[in-house]
Amino acid sequence: TATSAIVFTNTRSQCELWFQSLIAANPHWFEFTAIHHGSLSREQREAVDEGDRIAAGRTPVVTTLLFLTVFVLAMGRSGTMVGDVTFMEFLAPGLVMMAITQNAFANTSSSLIIGKVQGNIVDVLMPPLGPGELVIAWAAGGVTRGLVVGAVTAIAMWVVVPFQMPHPMFAVFYAIAGSLMLALLGVL
């Protein structure tokens, strides 16, 4: 059975009629249904955009907490020790770093690919910016997303696993260096 579908329409009115019909058939589908047409009403565009922003902020945190759950259940209970720390305290900082690097890479690579697919890469290439300036901008965006996601994930992870950070400046350095490396790799 299919879990998703894409419906193409020719006009804004058809698009909105389909959306209203789907929601009327099952109101619970509202949060899982999105429509797009170049001439959607402003209110509907803002509602869809807001839903995307909320999901984009939650998804990496939930994914990382799920990784923690799976690793703890599969590889070691919370009492297992790795050196002087529990397995969960050992694992948590690595999962935060994974979230940082994944999101730094995803930001740059998806921005470029989606821009090409949607045909709006021209908007990036038209301003009088050199290749170096574009790479710096994409890398800065990737680093920013990686660090923000990392900070939110670390806070959520710390609520579940109160881990220690004996050398915070090393952690910050490696978070920046790792996110920069993966953001630049995403530009390739």
Side-chain angles (χ1 to χ4, degrees):
T1 61
T3 58
S4 63
I6 298 175
V7 178
F8 293 95
T9 64
N10 291 330
T11 64
R12 173 183 162 181
S13 60
Q14 283 180 339
C15 192
E16 290 180 358
L17 284 173
W18 272 102
F19 181 76
Q20 290 169 0
S21 298
L22 288 169
I23 300 308
N26 189 343
H28 299 290
W29 288 351
F30 180 77
E31 59 190 75
F32 304 109
T33 307
I35 60 172
H36 184 281
H37 189 278
S39 59
L40 281 178
S41 69
R42 181 179 178 161
E43 295 81 23
Q44 287 181 326
R45 275 196 318 266
E46 288 173 356
V48 169
D49 288 345
E50 182 63 26
D52 288 345
R53 277 192 290 278
I54 291 169
R58 268 192 306 227
T59 304
V61 174
V62 171
T63 302
T64 305
L65 291 173
L66 285 173
F67 270 118
L68 177 69
T69 304
V70 168
F71 282 134
V72 167
L73 291 175
M75 301 173 95
R77 300 283 181 224
S78 60
T80 305
M81 298 296 284
V82 178
D84 294 337
V85 297
T86 66
F87 180 70
M88 289 175 64
E89 290 174 313
F90 172 77
L91 188 60
L95 290 174
V96 170
M97 188 64 181
M98 181 191 74
I100 291 170
T101 56
Q102 273 184 332
N103 281 278
F105 178 83
N107 190 72
T108 53
S109 60
S110 65
S111 295
L112 289 167
I113 296 299
I114 289 171
K116 185 174 185 331
V117 168
Q118 290 180 344
N120 60 6
I121 194 77
V122 174
D123 297 339
V124 173
L125 300 175
M126 289 300 291
L129 297 173
E133 293 167 318
L134 289 173
V135 170
I136 289 170
W138 277 315
V143 168
T144 302
R145 176 175 170 180
L147 294 177
V148 168
V149 166
V152 172
T153 302
I155 291 167
M157 187 75 70
W158 189 82
V159 169
V160 177
V161 182
F163 58 91
Q164 301 295 320
M165 196 179 316
H167 304 287
M169 292 312 292
F170 282 134
V172 170
F173 170 77
Y174 285 110
I176 293 170
S179 62
L180 179 61
M181 182 178 74
L182 270 288
L184 289 171
L185 189 61
V187 173
L188 291 178

